[in-house]
Amino acid sequence: MFTTQEEWDRGYADGLRYRRLGDSERLLLAAHTPAPTEGRALDVGCGVGELAAHLAGLGYSVDAVDWPATALAEAGARYGGAVRWLRLDIEGDDRGPLHADGYDLITLRFVAPFLTSRDRTLHALGHRLRPGGTLVVITPLMADTPALRHGIALGEDELAALQNRWSTAERHDTEGLALMFLRGPLRSAATPDGPPTVAVPGGPSGARGIDPAGAAVPRQHHFHLLGRYYGQVESGRKTVEVRVATPEKAAVETGDTIVFHDRDSDRELDVVVQRVSRYDSFEDLLDAEDPARVDPDAPREELLGALRGIYPPDREALGALAFAFDHRPARPGRSMPMPPSQYVQTVPHHTVYGCLYVRDEHDRPVQLRSVYGSRHWQFPGGNLDTRSEDPLQTARRETVEETGLELALETPRLLLTHFLHAGPRMPLNKVGFIFDGGRLSADQLRRIRLDPAEHDMWAVHDLPAWRQLMAPSAFTRLDAVERARLGEGPAYLVTHT
């Protein structure tokens, strides 16, 4: 590992480069750290500038800092003025050149293992975050790094200790890397600008912290599972995990979070520890626990042999731990990649209508003739143009306005859902809900009073007569509704204008 500025300069001059920014890293950054309006980012240890330039492409105004002049010269030559390049030792130099009003995002890619005062530096950076800001640490995982290069990676204990110093921490493993999304730095003895507030002893996995509102922050523990066992957890069939009582695992308590990682992929899921039980041996554990909760696909003796095949006698002698859990999530869901108001502008827009299918006493359809356009025959109802209404409420209201009749006061049966593709007459797709409005008596028919601004005629005909009077595309809907009412056709119709 390099330790001096001269060594880093010489390394970059000799062609030192870290692995390129991967597609999975790009997707995770876009999903978890979308650029807010006038968002500002700081890339620490920017190297030749690939990540800094990517953040600028996401919409951030970016400051990028690093120590070696050779790396910054290459970054400036590659990406020019898209980023403000600063030569700065983030641990030892005056941080005055950084923006005083803070950052929405601070990234450290392949940097954390090289920091000599990691806790102090990360927390100092964390206090430069604007409200709601995120500090992202991207680092190789020690378990996936050759032993000779462990100096460039972080181990599970280091990652757990890191994430437990933040009020919220979300971890994603991909392609041998851990991406940590950290928000809300907790004050501790490592931060020079406030009194220490800490926490409950918790062993090497880190301590349970206190968030800014004074609430306890559950600790997180990371367990890696073979794909077969991960699948059992994912399907809800496995609800007890067994480990030996190493100091790290013995520190897990009821109420803590376990994050299970699939060794065969980058999938993960989190659970809340409901119970921790300790036993003298695996045999004692399987006598007390339901083996099917540990491995639903193996009989007891096979499970016992598998456990002893993983852990030799000296490890089993430490004691066996059973971690019981259900499948309620421990962590909040990830935030949407963009605000809802922005998201709705990216998806196709539709209009919605609701109407009633009514008939006379002989089950002959009743329809109204429109005064607009091609003078189509229509069911009573209309488009949803009032925010507070659902399709049935619209159908009832429009029917009163168009006929003077109050119909379908009891919840009627939905006969047909109609999807109408956009066309020349309507540039948006339309979704319709057609409800059974029931039969109209002769007296009700006589009391129909049309709104002349919308309809000029109502009529009752059997289907053959309506086929002659209606355009083929319009009759298709009428015929589908009637067949759905009789249970003879599908309840979903797609048509084109």
Side-chain angles (χ1 to χ4, degrees):
M1 286 177 57
F2 298 151
T3 57
T4 69
Q5 186 177 18
E6 291 74 18
E7 288 174 335
W8 281 105
D9 264 318
R10 188 165 55 252
Y12 275 103
D14 291 342
L16 168 71
R17 298 295 182 270
Y18 285 103
R19 61 189 271 185
R20 300 291 303 274
L21 189 67
D23 289 342
S24 58
E25 294 175 81
R26 296 173 189 268
L27 290 172
L28 286 167
L29 287 167
H32 295 280
T33 56
T37 303
E38 298 183 356
R40 186 175 297 280
L42 171 65
D43 184 29
V44 176
C46 63
V48 296
E50 184 184 20
L51 175 55
H54 176 67
L55 296 179
L58 292 179
Y60 286 98
S61 175
V62 182
D63 289 347
V65 303
D66 212 332
W67 206 6
T70 48
L72 290 173
E74 182 173 338
R78 283 188 181 188
Y79 304 110
V83 173
R84 188 169 71 120
W85 309 103
L86 300 171
R87 188 180 186 189
L88 183 69
D89 174 6
I90 200 66
E91 292 193 277
D93 290 348
D94 178 11
R95 300 188 182 112
L98 302 182
H99 277 277
D101 60 349
Y103 297 89
D104 300 285
L105 172 65
I106 299 176
T107 55
L108 298 94
R109 184 175 187 263
F110 297 1
V111 172
F114 297 95
L115 297 174
T116 56
S117 301
R118 186 183 307 149
D119 292 342
R120 182 180 297 275
T121 301
L122 292 182
H123 278 271
L125 290 171
H127 287 287
R128 287 184 174 268
L129 289 171
R130 293 171 173 172
T134 306
L135 186 143
V136 180
V137 173
I138 304 174
T139 180
L141 289 166
M142 192 172 292
D144 298 320
T145 303
L148 292 176
R149 306 193 68 206
H150 275 185
I152 70 167
L154 295 182
E156 290 298 328
D157 288 352
E158 294 172 296
L159 290 168
L162 168 61
Q163 69 187 31
N164 280 294
R165 292 186 174 92
W166 297 74
S167 60
T168 63
E170 186 170 349
R171 169 177 165 176
H172 295 269
D173 289 3
T174 177
E175 299 177 345
L177 301 177
L179 279 76
M180 306 281 291
F181 295 86
L182 307 170
R183 299 176 179 91
L186 301 175
R187 294 187 183 276
S188 72
T191 56
D193 53 351
T197 48
V198 284
V200 188
S205 288
R208 188 190 311 275
I210 305 298
D211 71 14
V217 178
R219 294 174 303 173
Q220 290 188 14
H221 309 268
H222 294 266
F223 287 23
H224 288 76
L225 299 176
L226 293 175
R228 181 169 83 87
Y229 301 115
Y230 183 91
Q232 292 173 349
V233 176
E234 189 177 58
S235 66
R237 298 186 301 139
K238 176 180 172 66
T239 56
V240 171
E241 172 62 6
V242 174
R243 297 293 168 104
V244 295
T246 61
E248 180 183 3
K249 295 301 184 286
V252 180
E253 300 174 359
T254 299
D256 285 358
T257 296
I258 291 179
V259 182
F260 289 113
H261 299 271
D262 181 2
R263 289 189 183 277
D264 299 336
S265 72
D266 59 357
R267 293 180 299 168
E268 65 177 45
L269 56 83
D270 50 278
V271 299
V272 178
V273 178
Q274 303 293 332
R275 170 177 56 84
V276 182
S277 299
R278 183 164 185 158
Y279 302 93
D280 291 336
S281 67
F282 292 135
E283 194 154 8
D284 289 345
L285 184 149
L286 294 177
D287 285 342
E289 303 283 345
D290 180 359
R293 293 186 64 188
V294 180
D295 185 348
D297 298 322
R300 181 188 186 282
E301 293 307 311
E302 181 180 326
L303 175 55
L304 179 61
L307 289 169
R308 286 178 169 162
I310 297 171
Y311 297 106
D314 62 319
R315 301 282 282 175
E316 183 179 355
L318 298 173
L321 296 173
F323 303 101
F325 55 90
D326 56 25
H327 293 89
R328 285 172 288 188
R331 301 179 294 183
R334 64 186 62 175
S335 58
M336 291 285 289
M338 61 185 71
S341 59
Q342 182 180 349
Y343 169 73
V344 298
Q345 302 304 317
T346 70
V347 296
H349 291 186
H350 302 68
T351 59
V352 178
Y353 74 84
C355 59
L356 300 180
Y357 177 52
V358 293
R359 303 163 306 284
D360 71 356
E361 293 173 323
H362 304 289
D363 277 330
R364 295 177 300 180
V366 178
Q367 295 195 94
L368 317 178
R369 190 173 68 182
S370 171
V371 300
Y372 296 108
S374 300
R375 311 291 297 281
H376 290 293
W377 289 97
Q378 301 173 331
F379 302 141
N383 292 325
L384 268 71
D385 51 18
T386 302
R387 287 184 179 273
S388 61
E389 286 187 344
D390 62 45
L392 177 56
Q393 290 172 323
T394 294
R396 289 168 172 159
R397 176 181 55 77
E398 290 277 353
T399 298
V400 172
E401 295 174 0
E402 294 171 355
T403 69
L405 302 178
E406 291 190 11
L407 303 176
L409 299 181
E410 302 294 329
T411 303
R413 179 163 64 111
L414 175 64
L415 296 176
L416 188 74
T417 301
H418 176 214
F419 183 87
L420 178 63
H421 281 282
R425 289 194 299 109
M426 175 57 70
L428 297 177
N429 296 329
K430 179 177 284 193
V431 180
F433 300 88
I434 303 171
F435 301 91
D436 189 348
R439 292 175 173 175
L440 301 183
S441 66
D443 179 63
Q444 286 176 306
L445 290 173
R446 284 192 295 270
R447 288 192 286 112
I448 290 177
R449 295 294 180 267
L450 299 178
D451 177 0
E454 294 198 53
H455 301 99
D456 64 357
M457 182 178 180
W458 64 270
V460 179
H461 296 292
D462 58 19
L463 285 181
W466 279 122
R467 185 189 296 272
Q468 298 300 316
L469 290 168
M470 300 175 68
S473 59
F475 180 78
T476 296
R477 185 183 71 157
L478 172 61
D479 183 59
V481 173
E482 175 62 14
R483 287 189 292 115
R485 183 183 73 84
L486 298 174
E488 298 175 354
Y492 177 64
L493 173 70
V494 178
T495 63
H496 296 76
T497 56

